[in-house]
Amino acid sequence: MKENKKFSIQNVTKIFSQRVLLSKEEFKAVDDVTLEISLDPPEIFGLVGESGSGKSTLANIILQIIYPEVGKIYLNSKNIADFEITEFMKHIQPIFQDPFDSFDPMKKTDLFIYETIKNFNIAKEKSSIESLINESLKNVGLDYKTVKGKYPHEFSGGQLQRIAVARALVVHPLLLVADEPVSMLDASLRISIVNLFKELKEKHNLSVLYITHDLSTAYYISDRIGVMLRGNLVEIGNAKEILDEPLHPYTQFLKESVLEPDPTKKKITLEESEEQRMTVISEYQQKGCKFVNRCPKATDICKEKEPGYYSIKDRKVKCFLYENFK
Ligand SMILES: Nc1ncnc2c1ncn2[C@@H]1O[C@H](COP(=O)(O)OP(=O)(O)OP(=O)(O)O)[C@@H](O)[C@H]1O
Ligand SMILES: [Mg+2]
């Protein structure tokens, strides 16, 4: 089946409630997100945004770890809720932030790949399983001899992340959902892992949802990016075009934050303090545009009304500035 190969997220909303002082407040951690990721031809879609913008929530919805209150998600033309879970996981595989989380520390690493092949019924015979392990490790630049019989702690984070990718590859997925897959690795290793994603896309027709704080790797490997702001996707389009010339004031702010040479002034943080968390929730609940309190270009309408999406060439921007933009 060649036609219509895409992963399609339609108007998805996830509501969480969190304690704010003495009351419990609901907010939309993912708010009416619509997004398509092409599976054929494959693409790398970068999802970027500050801490607490809803990226992992969206990833967990895609992986069916959690379920949205509103919206539908289709793999090609089949609703993902209608898949039997093993069948679904054959198509969509996760790569986690901390590679050590992907493996049981008490279990030999190759055994984990072995069991994945068995559990997914990819092969039964020991010899064919071993040749599949060999092949998948080769695909990530490792060889079976250096992996065989070793426990996770005997590898570096970068090697183990490659092995996690190799494990995901044995089921021949269409899409990898990689949530901050390089943020725990040394800077020197990050590029080699993101390069691996690029290579897998080109050689194995694999699409990747690459979730990151790091605009530079997103720029480097993504075909398209989506920028998340408090549950909303506010700018979607070609990665180079968006990051070279961001249109949404929030994307501009993200880019400036990255370029801020004084790290103490950096506005993007990985950790959420209690105070930040309260600000995050109030921004989530903000009527109108969720960036209004921080936006240098905000006008009265931004406080009152939620902007729609405006198209500028192939790009979509959720900002009133572009309402009459030609
Ligand atoms: N299970 C949950 N229950 C309640 N609130 C949650 C839950 N999971 C996440 N949140 C909240 O939802 C918001 C979005 O969180 P999410 O983890 O999706 O953000 P993120 O963009 O992945 O952030 P980071 O870049 O720090 O990983 C945050 O305010 C977070 O505190
Ligand atoms: Mg996250």
Side-chain angles (χ1 to χ4, degrees), residues 200-260:
L200 293 173
K201 182 194 102 171
E202 279 149 21
K203 291 196 189 142
H204 298 274
N205 282 336
L206 186 69
S207 291
V208 182
L209 174 62
Y210 174 59
I211 298 177
T212 185
H213 278 88
D214 179 17
L215 295 190
S216 54
T217 53
Y219 181 88
Y220 177 62
I221 64 162
S222 308
D223 298 299
R224 289 189 306 141
I225 63 164
V227 181
M228 267 192 108
L229 162 68
R230 307 300 179 231
N232 285 144
L233 266 180
V234 294
E235 187 158 0
I236 313 168
N238 177 283
K240 306 281 177 291
E241 284 171 20
I242 289 185
L243 293 171
D244 282 340
E245 195 199 340
L247 292 179
H248 197 291
Y250 174 65
T251 320
Q252 292 168 358
F253 156 84
L254 285 182
K255 189 175 165 186
E256 281 161 22
S257 304
V258 169
L259 296 177
E260 172 58 66

Side-chain angles (χ1 to χ4, degrees), residues 94-305:
I95 301 294
F96 297 109
Q97 180 174 21
D98 184 350
F100 289 91
D101 280 351
S102 305
F103 296 91
D104 179 345
M106 309 298 284
K107 204 182 257 181
K108 287 176 185 156
T109 316
D110 51 316
L111 186 63
F112 193 62
I113 310 181
Y114 194 97
E115 285 175 355
T116 304
I117 295 173
K118 278 206 114 165
N119 294 343
F120 280 87
N121 251 326
I122 312 285
K124 283 198 179 74
E125 311 257 315
K126 191 167 179 234
S127 60
S128 36
I129 295 180
E130 289 198 327
S131 78
L132 286 174
I133 299 177
N134 193 17
E135 187 193 314
S136 70
L137 287 170
K138 254 199 214 150
N139 285 334
V140 300
L142 293 170
D143 71 84
Y144 199 2
K145 265 187 259 146
T146 51
V147 175
K148 200 169 180 174
K150 287 193 185 146
Y151 289 94
H153 70 267
E154 296 181 72
F155 297 102
S156 68
Q159 279 175 321
L160 205 58
Q161 198 60 302
R162 281 176 187 272
I163 301 170
V165 174
R167 190 207 60 83
L169 291 181
V170 294
V171 304
H172 295 294
L174 298 167
L175 175 68
L176 286 187
V177 177
D179 190 354
E180 303 277 4
V182 297
S183 63
M184 313 251 320
L185 305 181
D186 288 350
S188 59
L189 287 172
R190 284 184 195 162
I191 203 72
S192 77
I193 298 288
V194 298
N195 265 331
L196 172 64
F197 290 138
K198 230 177 158 176
E199 207 181 293
L200 293 173
K201 182 194 102 171
E202 279 149 21
K203 291 196 189 142
H204 298 274
N205 282 336
L206 186 69
S207 291
V208 182
L209 174 62
Y210 174 59
I211 298 177
T212 185
H213 278 88
D214 179 17
L215 295 190
S216 54
T217 53
Y219 181 88
Y220 177 62
I221 64 162
S222 308
D223 298 299
R224 289 189 306 141
I225 63 164
V227 181
M228 267 192 108
L229 162 68
R230 307 300 179 231
N232 285 144
L233 266 180
V234 294
E235 187 158 0
I236 313 168
N238 177 283
K240 306 281 177 291
E241 284 171 20
I242 289 185
L243 293 171
D244 282 340
E245 195 199 340
L247 292 179
H248 197 291
Y250 174 65
T251 320
Q252 292 168 358
F253 156 84
L254 285 182
K255 189 175 165 186
E256 281 161 22
S257 304
V258 169
L259 296 177
E260 172 58 66
D262 178 353
T264 59
K265 288 194 191 143
K266 232 179 179 177
K267 298 166 206 100
I268 305 174
T269 48
L270 275 166
E271 301 298 330
E272 273 182 59
S273 68
E274 185 58 19
E275 193 188 338
Q276 279 170 324
R277 202 171 63 81
M278 308 264 286
T279 314
V280 168
I281 293 185
S282 74
E283 284 192 358
Y284 266 110
Q285 292 165 326
Q286 165 70 42
K287 195 170 124 197
C289 175
K290 288 169 181 168
F291 195 50
V292 68
N293 296 330
R294 294 188 278 164
C295 182
K297 293 174 185 157
T299 59
D300 286 346
I301 191 174
C302 311
K303 288 193 184 117
E304 296 306 320
K305 216 174 129 189

Side-chain angles (χ1 to χ4, degrees), residues 16-18 27 29 50-57 180 213 270 272 277 280 284:
F16 283 136
S17 63
Q18 279 206 353
F27 67 99
E50 290 166 289
S51 184
S53 56
K55 304 179 300 295
S56 296
T57 304
E180 303 277 4
H213 278 88
L270 275 166
E272 273 182 59
R277 202 171 63 81
V280 168
Y284 266 110

